[in-house]
Amino acid sequence: MGQGSAVGQGSAVGQGSAVGQGSAAGEPGGVEGEGSAQAGQGSAAVEGSAEVGQGSAGESGGAGDVPRRQLAGRRRVPVAPEPAPDMSDSELRGALEAILLVVDEPVSELVLAQVLEQPAERVGPMLDEIAAGYTAAGYGFELRRAAGGWRLYTRPEYATYVERFVLDGQSVRLTQAALETLAVVAYKQPVTRSRISAIRGVNVDGVIRTLVTRGLVEECGTETDSGAFLYRTTTLFLEKLGLNTVAELPPLAPFLPDDVEELADATR
């Protein structure tokens, strides 16, 4: 029985050496004990594998959540505007002059500011400074506002020489009838054809078509009562005359005859 107790200890301890020393009958028990221990270790290994699998799954799930969190964070961050490139006053002046030399129509301060990537609050005063500098230096050209923008023009005192160079031998001038009709439209706009004809005393249909073709006059709606087309001057008209708005047209009073009121009464 003492040996049996030894077998019990071997079973309890689960060591083969202690069981073998007890008896031959204890050996199977010892082997069985080792198998049980191995089975227990196997179970622990399976549990460990399960834990590892759970950990891997957790890591995979976490990695999948990171881009979404980062994306959500990016959406909340406002994009800061890019700073305007550094440009000295001399560089800004030179760039503006270079652009103004090649434009074929007045260009606005906003367009110039966008092209040069500079604030419009800086471009406007620089244009005024350039214009004042040209005037003070007495150049044969000047920079002035026209048709809502800026453009270089020859000075009026040199118009005779420019006209001789550009128009000599060329029949590009408007006829007297066209000039008179254009003047009526400029000072009476918006105005209908019938009103223009009444002022001039002749039919102006052909002249109006010529002015529309030249781009100096355009339709701008219809008269409420009669439904007749209304006409007005275009931006090209302002550009050709070097004006910013029609309000800058010279007054008519100095060009009217002294007995204009008597003439008006005679036509009624």
Side-chain angles (χ1 to χ4, degrees):
M1 293 298 291
Q3 293 176 353
S5 298
V7 172
Q9 292 175 0
S11 301
V13 175
Q15 294 179 354
S17 56
V19 175
Q21 290 177 0
S23 65
E27 291 177 5
V31 174
E32 184 177 355
E34 290 178 358
S36 300
Q38 292 176 358
Q41 293 176 0
S43 300
V46 171
E47 292 176 358
S49 300
E51 293 174 357
V52 171
Q54 293 175 358
S56 301
E59 292 177 359
S60 176
D65 293 340
V66 170
R68 284 193 287 270
R69 289 196 297 269
Q70 291 178 352
L71 182 59
R74 291 194 190 99
R75 290 176 179 172
R76 296 191 188 98
V77 177
V79 179
E82 295 183 1
D86 294 334
M87 182 177 288
S88 64
D89 289 343
S90 61
E91 290 176 333
L92 178 60
R93 179 189 181 96
L96 288 171
E97 290 176 333
I99 294 174
L100 291 170
L101 280 173
V102 299
V103 298
D104 57 357
E105 61 182 12
V107 58
S108 66
E109 296 177 7
L110 181 59
V111 173
L112 291 171
Q114 291 175 345
V115 171
L116 299 177
E117 297 181 349
Q118 295 294 315
E121 293 78 8
R122 187 186 180 195
V123 172
M126 179 58 69
L127 290 169
D128 291 330
E129 180 180 335
I130 294 173
Y134 289 166
T135 301
Y139 292 153
F141 56 88
E142 62 182 350
L143 176 63
R144 65 173 184 257
R145 292 180 181 272
W150 291 84
R151 189 180 181 186
L152 293 171
Y153 289 89
T154 58
R155 292 194 178 277
E157 53 266 35
Y158 304 111
T160 303
Y161 307 105
V162 175
E163 182 179 3
R164 186 184 306 168
F165 175 77
V166 175
L167 301 179
D168 189 21
Q170 302 180 14
S171 57
V172 295
R173 300 180 182 180
L174 293 174
T175 63
Q176 184 67 27
L179 288 174
E180 292 176 1
T181 303
L182 183 59
V184 173
V185 175
Y187 283 96
K188 293 293 186 179
Q189 59 183 314
V191 62
T192 62
R193 288 190 187 186
S194 59
R195 178 61 177 163
I196 300 172
S197 298
I199 294 174
R200 291 201 57 228
V202 294
N203 185 286
V204 296
D205 291 350
V207 179
I208 287 293
R209 284 195 296 269
T210 299
L211 294 175
V212 171
T213 303
R214 293 282 187 92
L216 299 172
V217 170
E218 64 182 0
E219 295 180 0
C220 61
T222 58
E223 194 175 41
T224 305
D225 298 333
S226 63
F229 288 111
L230 294 170
Y231 292 90
R232 66 183 178 189
T233 54
T234 63
T235 303
L236 179 62
F237 169 80
L238 296 175
E239 179 185 342
K240 293 298 184 182
L241 294 184
L243 303 176
N244 193 36
T245 65
V246 292
E248 297 179 2
L249 287 169
L252 280 177
F255 303 98
L256 295 176
D258 296 334
D259 56 347
V260 62
E261 295 183 358
E262 297 178 3
L263 293 173
D265 293 336
T267 57
R268 292 177 182 174

